[in-house]
Amino acid sequence: MKTGLGLIKNLELSIGRIVEEAWAEPMGPTPFPSLTALREWDMKLLQRYKPFYLPFCDVCCLCTFGKCDLTGNKRGACGINMAAQQSRIVLLACCIGAATHTGHARHLVEHLIENYGRRMPLDVGGLNIQVEAPVTRLVCGVKPETLGDLEEILDYVETQVTHCLSVCHTGQEGSNLDFESKVFHVGMLDHVGMEVADIAQIAAYGFPKADPDAPLVDLGFGTVNVEKPVILCIGHNVVPSVGIIDYMKENGLDGEIEVCGLCCTAHDITRYYKRGKIIGPISWQLRFIRSGVPDVVVLDEQCIRTDSFYEAQRIKAPVIVASEKNCMGLPNRTNDPADAIVEDLVSGKIPGALILDPEKVGEVAVKVALRVAPLRKKFKAIPEVDEVLQKAKECRQCGDCRRACPQDLHIPEAMKAAMEGSLAKLSDLYDLCVGCGRCEEACPVGLQIHSFIVKAGEKKLKEETYKVRAGRGPIQDVEIRNVGSPIVLGEIPGVIAFVGCANYPKGGIEVAEMCREFASRRYIVVTSGCAAMTAGMYKNEEGKTPYEEFTGEFTAGCMVNVGSCVANAHIAGAAIKIANIFAKRNLRANYEEIADYILNRVGAVGVAWGAYSQKAASIAAGFWRLGVPVIVGPHGIKYRRMLLGRADHEEDWYVYDARTGEKVYVGPAPEHLFYAAETKEEAMVMIAKLCMRPNDTTKGRAIKLTHYIDLHKRLYGTMPEDIHRFVRTIADIPVTMKDEIIKILEEKGWKETIIPDPTLLPRLIRKRKE
Amino acid sequence: MAAEPWQTAEIPGPKKALVITKPEVVAAMIKRAKRPVFVVGHKAAEIDFDGGKLIDFIIEFSKKSGIPVVATAHMIGEFTKRGFKPAAFMPAVDIGNRLVDPDWAGVDGKGQHDLALFVGLYYYMEWTILSGLKHFAQHLKTISLDNVYHPHASWSFPNLSHEEWVKNLKVIMEKV
């Protein structure tokens, strides 16, 4: 450097990001936690909720030492045993899930910064949201204020996910419990990634901002006006859909074209554009494409059937792929003029194109839809009734379709009925089918069994016209203040989040029924993702969907749709905000204390009735580390391990009383951290049970016990056998059942205990007992 | 006898269930077991069996053999309706989790079981739970009494026709 004063050699100056400290709250103990920073907390959870392994495969086939036979917990060539191997695969799955959300977030943030600049403020609810990013604040210890601030957070998440992914390498980790701890770590990171993605898109795209009155939008196949050109968007990343909608609006085509979506991108379309239509969850992909309704199919990323390009070709619908993560083998036309791509797609010269510029996707998709729609005449891949009846005669009744069906549906019997001229049994299967198409792959004579089922259920399909509340985003601070006390004291019996995919055991109706049951019981019911759509595909006797029947405000007896999968972070965020806003616990990088608070005081339960994806696994893992139990449907048992408490192990259920330091038995509340229910009935009883927390007041516990006992009696036909574990004092007993319960308590040798100020963290004990 | 898992892609590993070719063998194993237990899933109330439901057969079977029943899911209600009191009711994952614990006191508090019979769960729930037991409950033998091949049990029927299955179960009932 040369100045008037002199010359300085070898001086390097670099100007990076200047951190302006605008957050007065003192820094907590674990900012940007490393892989082991929260290990002690994880071990406390894992001591109580020990993994029960359910190996999906007997061998390890990840390296060329093997395959290694790990049967009976034997060790493989690298030294790993079955327990660690199962945890390792769970970690791998969660890394995939977290990377998927984080990659999505990174793409969004980069794209939005390019369009709106780094300084764009993160307004996700105006004055109603002072804590705009509770998960990020809790985990990272920073308070993001602009789009640019999100980059540093993503840097951290990406680094940590990479470290965790590296742990899955051969010879990196030997203990199943350490793998489990890292599973929790990745789950926590996943929620940060999801939060970043959703607050960025809410702020930039003007999605509903913590709005309890977010508009009711159309849901279902029957809501699509098939007379118009139809663009179908599938996936999770709304950026290309925004390109389509903007192009339509800018060119006066708003209302001329139907823009509809499948899976989470559909939620985000309707958060951006009220005229957007949600067709349904992921399992509607095959049936909707084959229906021939879409004129153009636009694929972004995640949860897209990888045969969707092939399926779209069958109905002669051009395909545009719009993500680097999903190129489908198509030529990259990003740098070509839009009109040239349009010509090639309309003429059929190419069946599809990769376009990585979302604005160009918008222009091409709209122009192609307008020109292709009159030519296609809604060409279907679903046969007519006569053809189904005729083709069914080729069925050999070999049963391979049923054996391939994850639902074990009685397809051969339905085919036999079709051979005899009746589609009634195939129609019955429509409600139960998860739309995977495995039956067709298994059929030795190549029958289009899924299409037959859809044809048989066509009337039901076309009548699918429902309403769902557009994803509202976060929960307002004032709503948290209003419900914080009754939740923590147990007077609102619980917060239940119905999330996840559409891999339902007995059809989607069960999700809607569960939502309705608990909203009617004045629980706080929250939904997201495919589960939110499914919950809307139900009408009561007055013809109202649950979203029309119950309020969208976060309060007792509500039905709140937070939005797409990445909006799941707002559900974790609500639990965190209860600890922070209502209970005034420090939030900043104070993970253990907040999680301890939630575990012991916030009666929240996640339900993923159709969980199937790696993202669902990592979302669940984020809830576990926060102390929120997750119930999955029976297919969820294939996640390879459960985290189960043992109610019969009394020693597992002691907490410190923060007032005295004394150890107090609080009963198995909550009894499990991760749990697969066999039936809807079992899930409902368990939901009510897992909402109980050590800190419930006597009034709150009485209310929670009332629901638990009532559901148990109705669905099981008996009294629960473990009431004595949840009654701490006589005042806990529901008044209407007093005599009956006291008799049971006497038989069980029950003794009264105290209701402590519960914590698992010795450092939170205020005054130690001498 | 060769046996293939009922669900096409559920390819078993090196250790697969022995196939029950003679129902008498199952009866003998039950009689030999010191502490058997019967885990009954919700499908037992749905599956037709010899003019009634499978659950009716299980009740008779339990009464005759003295094997205690654990009802999973909401099955306790179905048993109660029929005037039968199972030894315990708990979620399927809970009974699986307890069966892997060598120190568990069993459904009657007298100690861990040495033989677990399974029937009536979703195929995939049963296969995963049986897998957990195969790998982590070395003290336990397991038998699937469903009419499909369960590769992770110690013993399982092959994929049987309904008629064959009914016949086999009746033989076991006779012999226990």
Side-chain angles (χ1 to χ4, degrees), chain A residues 52-56 58-59 69-73 82-83 400 402-406 408 438 505-506 634-635 637-638 642 644 646-649 671-672 675-679 681-682 686 712 715-716 718-719 721, chain B residues 4-10 12-15 41-43 46 72-74 76-77 80 85 89 91-94 96-98 100-101 104 120-122 124-125 127-129 131-136 138 152 159:
Chain A
F52 169 37
Y53 292 105
L54 304 140
F56 208 40
D58 294 350
V59 300
D69 173 15
L70 303 178
T71 305
N73 217 15
M82 181 58 102
D400 286 0
R402 182 175 167 190
R403 287 182 53 205
C405 175
D408 200 18
R438 271 169 59 162
K506 283 189 174 173
H635 282 293
I637 202 167
K638 291 179 261 184
M642 301 282 112
L644 302 174
R646 286 284 296 269
D648 55 329
H649 285 181
E671 185 173 342
H672 302 303
Y675 164 89
E678 186 183 341
T679 63
E681 291 81 359
E682 182 188 323
M686 190 57 83
H712 203 287
L715 300 171
Y716 284 22
T718 64
M719 281 292 278
E721 287 197 326
Chain B
E4 290 181 6
W6 173 246
Q7 281 200 349
T8 325
E10 176 36 23
K15 187 179 173 187
H42 79 285
K43 289 177 73 177
E46 297 170 3
T72 71
H74 55 281
I76 179 67
T80 310
K85 191 168 186 296
F89 60 94
V93 291
D94 265 346
N97 191 32
R98 280 159 171 71
V100 294
D101 174 6
W104 183 46
L121 290 157
Y122 282 124
Y124 50 88
M125 280 199 100
W127 115 53
T128 42
I129 291 171
S131 172
L133 299 175
K134 177 171 89 172
H135 294 289
F136 297 101
Q138 301 301 314
H152 299 293
N159 298 321

Side-chain angles (χ1 to χ4, degrees), chain A residues 480-499:
Chain A
I480 297 291
R481 280 192 197 95
N482 289 341
V483 299
S485 171
I487 289 173
V488 170
L489 300 176
E491 291 158 9
I492 288 178
V495 181
I496 306 164
F498 289 90
V499 302

Side-chain angles (χ1 to χ4, degrees), chain A residues 275-508:
Chain A
R275 284 186 170 162
K277 311 276 171 71
I278 301 174
I279 303 305
I282 180 173
S283 46
W284 261 245
Q285 282 189 46
L286 275 186
R287 67 184 68 165
F288 190 61
I289 296 177
R290 289 185 185 182
S291 73
V293 171
D295 295 302
V296 176
V297 177
V298 179
L299 309 176
D300 54 84
E301 60 170 291
Q302 306 167 42
C303 299
I304 294 160
R305 286 190 64 96
T306 50
D307 56 359
S308 51
F309 172 56
Y310 161 75
E311 291 289 340
Q313 279 186 291
R314 293 177 66 196
I315 59 160
K316 304 189 189 308
V319 173
I320 298 169
V321 291
S323 166
E324 288 179 330
K325 292 163 199 153
N326 180 26
C327 300
M328 291 273 174
L330 291 168
N332 188 349
R333 303 292 298 267
T334 308
N335 296 323
D336 290 355
D339 287 331
I341 311 171
V342 171
E343 279 307 319
D344 287 351
L345 288 169
V346 172
S347 66
K349 187 176 170 190
I350 53 170
L354 169 65
I355 307 175
L356 297 171
D357 171 353
E359 282 78 30
K360 195 171 282 183
V361 169
E363 182 180 352
V364 173
V366 170
K367 285 180 171 173
V368 171
L370 287 168
R371 288 181 54 189
V372 161
L375 305 174
R376 283 186 60 250
K377 297 189 172 38
K378 308 295 182 194
F379 188 85
K380 285 185 195 175
I382 294 174
E384 295 301 324
V385 170
D386 289 351
E387 197 183 342
V388 175
L389 295 174
Q390 193 58 35
K391 278 278 180 189
K393 289 177 184 162
E394 293 175 25
C395 173
R396 297 179 192 165
Q397 289 287 298
C398 66
D400 286 0
C401 49
R402 182 175 167 190
R403 287 182 53 205
C405 175
Q407 307 291 76
D408 200 18
L409 295 181
H410 292 216
I411 301 168
E413 285 91 323
M415 292 296 287
K416 194 171 180 196
M419 289 161 87
E420 291 159 4
S422 168
L423 293 183
K425 286 193 174 179
L426 278 170
S427 174
D428 291 344
L429 299 184
Y430 175 82
D431 297 323
L432 306 172
C433 173
V434 295
C436 70
R438 271 169 59 162
C439 48
E440 294 186 359
E441 293 302 310
C443 179
V445 289
L447 296 176
Q448 290 183 52
I449 299 164
H450 180 68
S451 291
F452 295 175
I453 292 170
V454 174
K455 185 65 194 176
E458 193 175 36
K459 185 168 180 294
K460 297 177 198 174
L461 181 67
K462 287 185 173 169
E463 287 173 356
E464 285 172 358
T465 55
Y466 305 100
K467 292 283 184 191
V468 59
R469 200 172 294 282
R472 59 164 282 174
I475 308 305
Q476 294 180 7
D477 297 3
V478 68
E479 291 175 287
I480 297 291
R481 280 192 197 95
N482 289 341
V483 299
S485 171
I487 289 173
V488 170
L489 300 176
E491 291 158 9
I492 288 178
V495 181
I496 306 164
F498 289 90
V499 302
C501 327
N503 200 15
Y504 308 120
K506 283 189 174 173

Side-chain angles (χ1 to χ4, degrees), chain A residues 145-192:
Chain A
E145 292 183 338
T146 65
L147 275 179
D149 292 344
L150 299 176
E151 290 182 304
E152 174 195 18
I153 296 157
L154 289 176
D155 289 345
Y156 161 71
V157 174
E158 288 160 356
T159 308
Q160 292 293 303
V161 171
T162 306
H163 283 311
C164 286
L165 182 58
S166 79
V167 172
C168 301
H169 190 274
T170 303
Q172 285 273 50
E173 182 64 270
S175 156
N176 63 311
L177 291 185
D178 271 311
F179 272 120
E180 298 290 351
S181 168
K182 288 168 175 88
V183 167
F184 288 1
H185 191 64
V186 174
M188 178 194 74
L189 299 166
D190 186 35
H191 282 251
V192 177

Side-chain angles (χ1 to χ4, degrees), chain B residues 78-94:
Chain B
E78 295 293 334
F79 280 109
T80 310
K81 266 193 261 175
R82 290 163 169 84
F84 178 82
K85 191 168 186 296
F89 60 94
M90 61 177 77
V93 291
D94 265 346

